Amino acid sequence: MTTVIPAIVAPSATDPLVLGTIERRDVGAKDVRIDIRWAGICHSDIHTVQGDWGPQHYPLTVGHEIAGIVAEVGSEVTKFAVGDRVGVGCLVNSCGECENCAAGSEQHCLRGAIGTYGASDVDGTITQGGYSTGVVVTEDFVLRVPEAIPYEKAAPLLCAGITTYSPLRHWNAGPGKRVAVVGLGGLGHMAVKIAHAMGAEVTVLSRSLSKKDDALALGADHYFATEDPETFRSLRSSFDLIINSVSAAIDIDAYLKLLAMDGTLVNVGAPAEPMPVSVGTLIGGRRSFAGSNIGGIAETQEMLDFCAEHGIAPDIEIASADQINEAWARVLASDVRYRFVIDIETLTA
């Protein structure tokens, strides 16, 4: 059995988003039904709908930054109760049995993690995301949102927050570490806040000087414009860790040369285009070029608790459901400070 609910729907890769409906399964024994209150807009939503990462099944509802309230729990649910403040991120299931799942890295499930939207679910249906009034998720993939995090700002932490927290934690950002963040958008501004809270020395590398004041207010110690060629000369061999948050192709070799010996450049932005790398740049200085993809469920909860403890939340703009196409256009134009969040109540207004 299923229930029909209001949603924002992509009819195709090229048509504007429209208001429509999707179906949600009934609550099973281990399921949690969530009334969605806020849904963040991620650049990944746009990439997916436009087919940048492969063909999709349309109509499709995207959104993997979800904050809401538990409305119903299955008979075997033990972790949550009706009324709890919760969230759902980029995953809604995995095999739970493979080596990676057992290690808490469900996002790297060897049998294929199930994404919150556009993925084949265990019942063969295509998952639909958080630009909707509700979602049903197995309890193991539901996160608890601490009260200290402002409700309307919680949703972007479920993607932008964990996407940047995970590599900063994995590559040991902290006191004595020099961390550079490339790009100051939805991901980049979270990387700055989290790296600063971890105690690292933080530098922002952005195209122009237009966001310098913002970056310093967010916690950056230094700021440089990458459109100035002197930046790449003066900062050569300066950083232990670089987090590249840009979802477009950049000159990776130029940024790799900014790493000190044994430094690592981690890509968290996911451009559709390939980015060539010179092996000689890696060999010189024993540099590493890596990628990182969100985080497991336990690490995501750890991130939420860390943000609550340190007073970290994204800077957001709130959009109504009827502003969704305008919001997407502004994301593509890098004209948002720094994450859009949809007020889902406007879907039924």
Side-chain angles (χ1 to χ4, degrees), residues 85-349:
R85 288 198 342 165
V86 295
V88 177
C90 302
L91 302 176
V92 292
N93 217 333
S94 72
C95 80
E97 299 174 351
C98 71
E99 179 181 352
N100 290 348
C101 286
S105 294
E106 296 92 347
Q107 77 275 27
H108 299 302
C109 176
L110 295 174
R111 299 180 191 173
I114 298 175
T116 304
Y117 58 75
S120 180
D121 210 341
V122 292
D123 60 1
T125 61
I126 301 302
T127 57
Q128 303 292 334
Y131 293 12
S132 58
T133 58
V135 66
V136 178
V137 183
T138 181
E139 72 167 330
D140 289 340
F141 286 80
V142 178
L143 288 306
R144 190 173 302 280
V145 176
E147 291 289 338
I149 297 174
Y151 201 17
E152 72 279 7
K153 296 185 176 185
L157 295 175
L158 278 303
C159 177
I162 186 57
T163 295
T164 50
Y165 178 89
S166 186
L168 288 167
R169 184 179 183 277
H170 182 80
W171 277 276
N172 300 311
K177 287 293 184 75
R178 299 164 296 173
V179 175
V181 176
V182 181
L184 195 69
L187 291 175
H189 93 289
M190 287 306 307
V192 171
K193 291 189 178 194
I194 293 169
H196 174 74
M198 289 178 169
E201 180 182 348
V202 183
T203 297
V204 169
L205 304 174
S206 189
R207 187 178 58 82
S208 71
L209 293 174
S210 64
K211 296 181 180 179
K212 181 176 180 178
D213 290 344
D214 281 7
L216 298 179
L218 292 168
D221 299 287
H222 316 286
Y223 184 104
F224 295 89
T226 57
E227 66 183 6
D228 181 357
E230 180 60 27
T231 291
F232 291 93
R233 289 190 289 267
S234 65
L235 295 180
R236 194 177 180 109
S237 302
S238 291
F239 304 110
D240 304 300
L241 177 64
I242 299 175
I243 303 294
N244 177 26
S245 72
V246 177
S247 290
I250 64 172
D251 184 352
I252 286 294
D253 264 22
Y255 287 88
L256 284 169
K257 291 173 183 176
L258 303 183
L259 290 170
M261 183 173 174
D262 290 327
T264 302
L265 190 160
V266 184
N267 235 71
V268 294
E273 310 89 345
M275 295 189 291
V277 175
S278 169
V279 173
T281 306
L282 297 176
I283 291 173
R286 202 161 59 196
R287 302 178 176 102
S288 298
F289 180 35
S292 182
N293 178 28
I294 57 172
I297 298 303
E299 187 177 45
T300 304
Q301 187 63 60
E302 176 185 296
M303 175 276 304
L304 288 168
D305 295 340
F306 178 90
C307 289
E309 179 184 353
H310 292 273
I312 296 172
D315 289 16
I316 67 167
E317 294 185 44
I318 294 175
S320 61
D322 61 1
Q323 295 173 319
I324 186 65
N325 290 298
E326 176 189 345
W328 272 30
R330 287 183 55 195
V331 170
L332 289 171
S334 299
D335 178 30
V336 55
R337 293 291 201 274
Y338 278 94
R339 202 69 159 184
F340 271 118
V341 175
I342 306 167
D343 180 353
I344 294 299
E345 286 190 347
T346 62
L347 252 177
T348 55

